[in-house]
Amino acid sequence: MNDNTALISEIKSLLGDSEHKAYVRSFGCQLNVSDGEKIKGQLKKMGYTFTESEAEADLIILNTCAVRESAEDRVFGIVGSMKKLKEQKPSLIIGIAGCMTAQSHVADKIKQSYTQVDFVLGTSAINALPKLLLEALKGAKFSADITEYDDFSEVAEQVRDSSFKASVPIMFGCNNFCTYCIVPYVRGRERSRRPEDIIAEVRGLVADGYKEIMLLGQNVNSYGNDLDGEMSFPKLLRELNSIEGDFIIRFMSSHPKDASKELIDTIFECEKVAKHLHLPVQSGSSEVLRRMNRRYSIEKYLEIVDYIRGKDPDFSLTTDIIVGFPNETDEEFRETINIVKSVTFDNIYSFIYSRRSGTKAAEMPDSTSDEVKSRRMRELLEVQREVSSEHYKRFIGRTMRVLVDDTAKKRDGWLTGKSSEFIIVEFEGDESLIGRFVNIKVTDAMNWAVVGELISG
Ligand code: SAH
Ligand code: SF4
Ligand code: F3S
């Protein structure tokens, strides 16, 4: 770890006394959002304040995602539109960070075609930000290529987006190489943070009044495999559960190949751990799962579901599904529809397969047309809508403990929050309840949320 103190004070004196505003926007998964909070932490140390308006900014950092082509296209569109901003304000500095930059063909494209960009900051190379920014402030362009993985977590000054919900990465990278996925290429191999650092961070957050702790990793179930000693994810959960205070623990994502009975027992035994599991199935066909290199069969997946539902038939599950994996047949897609109907997920996050250059699946023949893929996607969404509107009815009449997130978008005087089961709950209440736990008696169910009445704040 480099000590950036000297660089940071040089930047501070270069910026002088006038206010300098930074606009930092993160795309993609919560791990990337967490990196964005660390980028902001660094900028704050340099004296920057923050703005939500690109036009007002003296510094813009786009923290990008590469998981699907659409995510990349969006960023290219935004960077393109920033050419004008730079013409209007030549002193504006634009930096691109995050997963897109770890693909050399994308970094090259940015450097060659987007002259408004001043620097490219590699994934997890946040520690190099002061050096690159200083060079850019002095007028240099693309002064260095930073591509090494420089885990930043243990110095993490962060400017957190919320004052009551906190993301805590417990590990970085991924070893799984699902054939469709770019993440292992842009995030490197699995590295677990030391449990004592995680525990200290969570203790600090709880002492600061945080009510929800979201533990993050691409596959939390392999947490600790690379550490000396006996640490495992269920053990870590138990340790965190024993921290005193009124808070809820969530985690994401959990790879089915490593989801153990011990993990499930731990969820049931730890009162602070949310009663919800996000268990990405990706496809209902064992043959597609094999081509995806997921390393579980659909039978194995259903065994886990049965174990959970044997303990609680109403247990809340959510999942990710990819539609239109190369050469997915109609029959294979039917198997996915059947799984969605039989497991009854509370929510699915579904994506049309996107070809990622450099991955194994990118080399696989694919004769399924885009039109067929879109039709399958529409059908899947329709089926899920029916499943969830039926499934959500099980909550009617129950009392749910809800962490209040915000005011509801469409109804004046209403609030929105999430229950332990990760269900959106809407109810009438005062804004002063935001950031607090309340008890809500559920009166009605829709296909995306339940509604209820406040019974205690
Ligand atoms: N590590 C997590 C997933 C991270 S990416 C896990 O294994 O569960 C989040 C989701 O994006 C994945 O679960 C998958 O459904 C989707 N995804 C990843 N690569 C994709 C691609 N090339 N095309 C479409 N969807 C993809
Ligand atoms: Fe991608 Fe698979 Fe790793 Fe998840 S587990 S990040 S889908 S390679
Ligand atoms: Fe996207 Fe990178 Fe996350 S590719 S999903 S931001 S790890």
Side-chain angles (χ1 to χ4, degrees):
M1 170 72 50
N2 307 322
D3 184 0
N4 280 321
T5 320
L7 292 171
I8 289 176
S9 36
E10 205 179 334
I11 293 174
K12 266 183 136 165
S13 60
L14 249 179
L15 295 179
D17 286 337
S18 60
E19 189 181 16
H20 282 74
K21 292 185 180 170
Y23 169 88
V24 180
R25 178 160 172 199
S26 293
F27 301 81
C29 65
Q30 295 185 61
L31 275 157
N32 213 40
V33 173
S34 167
D35 278 354
E37 295 182 334
K38 289 175 192 161
I39 290 176
K40 282 189 178 173
Q42 285 288 286
L43 295 176
K44 189 178 167 200
K45 280 210 255 176
M46 299 169 198
Y48 280 95
T49 57
F50 299 100
T51 173
E52 296 295 312
S53 146
E54 300 162 37
E56 250 182 45
D58 303 291
L59 166 68
I60 294 178
I61 296 184
L62 298 179
N63 186 28
T64 62
C65 169
V67 81
R68 282 171 289 275
E69 196 176 358
S70 53
E72 294 194 345
D73 287 347
R74 240 172 101 203
V75 168
F76 279 124
I78 294 170
V79 184
S81 71
M82 282 176 179
K83 197 168 183 139
K84 258 223 174 88
L85 283 180
K86 184 97 171 187
E87 281 163 9
Q88 286 159 0
K89 191 198 269 187
S91 65
L92 170 66
I93 292 182
I94 301 177
I96 311 289
C99 294
M100 274 171 73
T101 66
Q103 306 168 93
S104 54
H105 67 278
V106 178
D108 289 346
K109 178 172 166 185
I110 294 171
K111 289 180 195 169
Q112 277 154 22
S113 316
Y114 294 85
T115 49
Q116 62 273 42
V117 176
D118 296 284
F119 67 88
V120 172
L121 180 71
T123 329
S124 314
I126 300 165
N127 200 38
L129 177 63
K131 178 173 175 287
L132 287 177
L133 185 54
L134 182 61
E135 301 280 332
L137 284 166
K138 288 178 176 167
K141 244 181 159 31
F142 302 122
S143 52
D145 269 323
I146 308 290
T147 50
E148 82 272 22
Y149 300 105
D150 171 13
D151 292 333
F152 193 68
S153 50
E154 306 324 331
V155 282
E157 300 267 341
Q158 301 178 49
V159 175
R160 293 186 179 272
D161 294 341
S162 163
S163 59
F164 56 92
K165 287 162 83 165
S167 296
V168 177
I170 62 167
M171 57 201 297
F172 304 98
C174 182
N175 288 356
N176 293 309
F177 289 95
C178 303
T179 54
Y180 50 80
C181 185
I182 195 74
V183 171
Y185 301 91
V186 295
R187 287 273 169 175
R189 296 294 69 71
E190 269 172 21
R191 286 115 38 220
S192 299
R193 284 178 70 195
R194 287 192 309 252
E196 55 273 28
D197 293 329
I198 298 168
I199 292 164
E201 185 175 344
V202 173
R203 267 187 210 291
L205 288 164
V206 172
D208 286 345
Y210 281 86
K211 297 284 181 244
E212 179 184 294
I213 305 295
M214 172 68 92
L215 307 174
L216 298 175
Q218 295 298 354
N219 175 15
V220 293
N221 296 332
S222 53
Y223 173 75
N225 288 355
D226 57 330
L227 296 176
D228 293 336
E230 297 276 289
M231 209 9 112
S232 68
F233 185 59
K235 278 200 183 122
L236 180 70
L237 276 180
R238 284 173 200 272
E239 296 259 359
L240 296 174
N241 187 65
S242 70
I243 295 175
E244 266 183 46
D246 188 18
F247 66 101
I248 186 167
I249 304 169
R250 299 189 184 280
F251 58 87
M252 257 179 59
S253 278
S254 189
H255 196 306
K257 82 177 164 64
D258 303 312
S260 62
K261 289 189 173 160
E262 190 193 354
L263 170 74
I264 291 152
D265 294 343
T266 306
I267 297 173
F268 279 93
E269 281 160 30
C270 293
E271 75 285 356
K272 292 189 177 104
V273 175
K275 300 301 171 260
H276 158 241
L277 185 62
H278 182 64
L279 197 62
V281 65
Q282 311 297 359
S283 166
S285 151
S286 290
E287 168 51 27
V288 173
L289 291 172
R290 190 192 60 73
R291 301 207 296 274
M292 289 177 163
N293 190 34
R294 288 291 286 180
R295 288 180 279 167
Y296 53 85
S297 63
I298 202 65
E299 290 74 25
K300 164 83 199 306
Y301 187 89
L302 292 174
E303 255 174 48
I304 308 168
V305 172
D306 283 349
Y307 186 73
I308 300 171
R309 294 267 167 84
K311 286 173 167 276
D312 175 1
D314 282 344
F315 193 87
S316 178
L317 292 167
T318 55
T319 202
D320 290 351
I321 288 177
I322 295 179
V323 171
F325 185 77
N327 275 352
E328 179 192 60
T329 63
D330 250 327
E331 227 163 73
E332 287 164 346
F333 174 65
R334 287 290 126 219
E335 292 182 77
T336 297
I337 291 288
N338 290 341
I339 284 297
V340 168
K341 285 182 177 162
S342 65
V343 174
T344 55
F345 296 105
D346 278 303
N347 211 341
I348 59 173
Y349 303 88
S350 45
F351 312 98
I352 293 189
Y353 168 75
S354 170
R355 194 182 158 279
R356 305 284 64 210
S357 121
T359 62
K360 285 232 169 84
E363 310 301 322
M364 295 178 186
D366 187 7
S367 56
T368 318
S369 70
D370 289 350
E371 202 204 321
V372 167
K373 292 182 185 187
S374 302
R375 186 167 45 71
R376 287 181 187 164
M377 183 66 156
R378 282 196 301 275
E379 182 179 344
L380 176 63
L381 292 174
E382 191 46 46
V383 168
Q384 178 56 25
R385 246 192 303 273
E386 281 164 28
V387 169
S388 42
S389 54
E390 199 45 46
H391 201 44
Y392 278 19
K393 287 186 186 152
R394 73 193 188 282
F395 296 117
I396 295 176
R398 284 198 214 168
T399 299
M400 283 176 143
R401 190 155 185 263
V402 172
L403 178 59
V404 187
D405 275 328
D406 206 347
T407 50
K409 286 226 165 60
K410 287 183 187 145
R411 277 193 267 201
D412 271 355
W414 281 61
L415 301 172
T416 180
K418 285 244 173 63
S419 72
S420 169
E421 298 85 355
F422 210 57
I423 303 290
I424 298 173
V425 182
E426 298 210 339
F427 59 97
E428 225 174 332
D430 189 79
E431 281 184 34
S432 61
L433 295 173
I434 293 172
R436 289 171 45 186
F437 286 109
V438 293
N439 287 319
I440 302 293
K441 176 122 195 228
V442 178
T443 52
D444 203 0
M446 298 175 283
N447 60 20
W448 57 276
V450 299
V451 291
E453 285 161 7
L454 179 68
I455 53 175
S456 63

